[in-house]
Amino acid sequence: IYHLAAILSTKAEKDPFQAHQVNVEGFINLVKTAMIYTDYIKFFFPSSIAVYYLNDKNIPPFREDLYCNPNNIYGCNKLYCEKLGVYFSQFSKESNKFDFRSIRFSGIISATTLPTGGTSDYASEIIHSAIQNKNYSCFVNKNSKIPFMAMPDAIDSIIKIMTTERKNLTQSIYHIKAFNPSVKEIYAKIKNKFPQFKLTYNINKDRQRLVDSWPSDIDDSKARKDWGWSPIYDFD
């Protein structure tokens, strides 16, 4: 099972009860179905760096077990589902039936589609606006920085973790990243290719608050060692 359905961070803040219904109850429904109707199932759950809360953006890259104290409903939903997944796969009486694996994704950038409802959307929106010869008003400030990756690498990461033998995984939950530019670094890179592109700022305080509480960088050495995570696409 690849359970990809969710209400994303920005949209979730507008209706936290609906977010809980979709993000948590939807997860539980699938887990329950899997446990009832299968003798053994691999279950992939995409989580997020929204599970972290940092009050200092200068904290060095850290491992997965630190700073898990989310300040947003999306992060709360994701972290709770992670905990449930670990419980059912390791501690429940039917744990031998349920093989839970999860990746805490950074922002994901697609070349073909724009995301909706996420807080990391600004990077994709900057790029797509420039390509369409449109200017862009960014909802976070120029120094905002979180990890990102390209969509093909995100897909490849899911395939890699799901095809790795369970004995090689030292944990059920991993975070990964490919590059972590600031908004002003994204803008400078885009200007090299689209010199007419203009970026302005219209800060959304709620979305800025979320980005400011998420890590600027993470240590993904566990994923690299355990199941061969290695992104193809860097910032360039």
Side-chain angles (χ1 to χ4, degrees):
I1 294 175
Y2 297 81
H3 175 38
L4 307 181
I7 292 178
L8 300 182
S9 52
T10 293
K11 188 175 180 181
E13 289 297 303
K14 297 176 181 178
D15 191 341
F17 296 104
Q18 184 189 45
H20 181 276
Q21 185 177 38
V22 172
N23 295 347
V24 176
E25 293 178 28
F27 171 83
I28 291 173
N29 288 340
L30 278 176
V31 173
K32 184 177 180 180
T33 301
M35 300 283 273
I36 291 173
Y37 293 108
T38 63
D39 294 326
Y40 170 76
I41 193 74
K42 284 184 184 178
F43 193 105
F44 177 77
F45 177 70
S47 192
S48 167
I49 60 169
V51 303
Y52 300 120
Y53 174 72
L54 285 71
N55 55 19
D56 180 0
K57 292 288 276 190
N58 296 315
I59 291 173
F62 58 90
R63 61 183 186 268
E64 286 86 347
D65 59 336
L66 299 175
Y67 306 108
C68 292
N69 188 29
N71 64 345
N72 61 96
I73 190 65
Y74 178 68
C76 291
N77 294 161
K78 289 294 188 181
L79 186 60
Y80 180 47
C81 291
E82 287 181 8
K83 297 295 186 183
L84 289 174
V86 170
Y87 164 74
F88 284 117
S89 64
Q90 296 183 22
F91 304 111
S92 74
K93 63 182 180 180
E94 295 182 304
S95 59
N96 62 315
K97 296 174 59 175
F98 191 67
D99 184 351
F100 178 77
R101 307 178 183 201
S102 181
I103 295 175
R104 290 175 185 160
F105 282 109
S106 306
I108 301 175
I109 299 172
S110 169
T112 57
T113 60
L114 275 169
T116 57
T119 308
S120 63
D121 293 357
Y122 63 86
S124 294
E125 291 173 359
I126 290 171
I127 295 167
H128 282 259
S129 294
I131 291 169
Q132 296 169 19
N133 295 314
K134 299 177 181 177
N135 295 324
Y136 180 70
S137 180
C138 188
F139 56 79
V140 294
N141 67 46
K142 65 180 181 180
N143 296 314
S144 299
K145 177 185 286 194
I146 60 172
F148 285 95
M149 70 184 65
M151 182 64 78
D153 280 327
I155 295 169
D156 188 52
S157 72
I158 297 172
I159 294 169
K160 283 183 176 178
I161 195 173
M162 290 295 276
T163 54
T164 298
E165 290 190 42
R166 181 75 239 183
K167 65 181 181 180
N168 293 329
L169 301 178
T170 60
Q171 52 201 49
S172 296
I173 300 155
Y174 297 82
H175 60 203
I176 59 174
K177 60 92 186 265
F179 44 88
N180 58 324
S182 65
V183 172
K184 63 184 178 183
E185 289 170 329
I186 297 172
Y187 182 42
K189 186 74 69 176
I190 288 290
K191 287 283 282 186
N192 288 333
K193 187 73 174 179
F194 301 94
Q196 303 303 316
F197 175 66
K198 290 182 173 59
L199 182 66
T200 57
Y201 295 90
N202 183 17
I203 311 302
N204 180 301
K205 62 181 179 61
D206 294 325
R207 300 175 99 176
Q208 184 71 63
R209 173 181 60 84
L210 293 182
V211 169
D212 287 345
S213 69
W214 295 345
S216 297
D217 202 0
I218 51 178
D219 176 3
D220 60 2
S221 57
K222 281 283 191 177
R224 292 174 184 268
K225 180 180 178 182
D226 288 2
W227 46 272
W229 161 245
S230 181
I232 294 172
Y233 295 92
D234 61 14
F235 184 38
D236 285 337

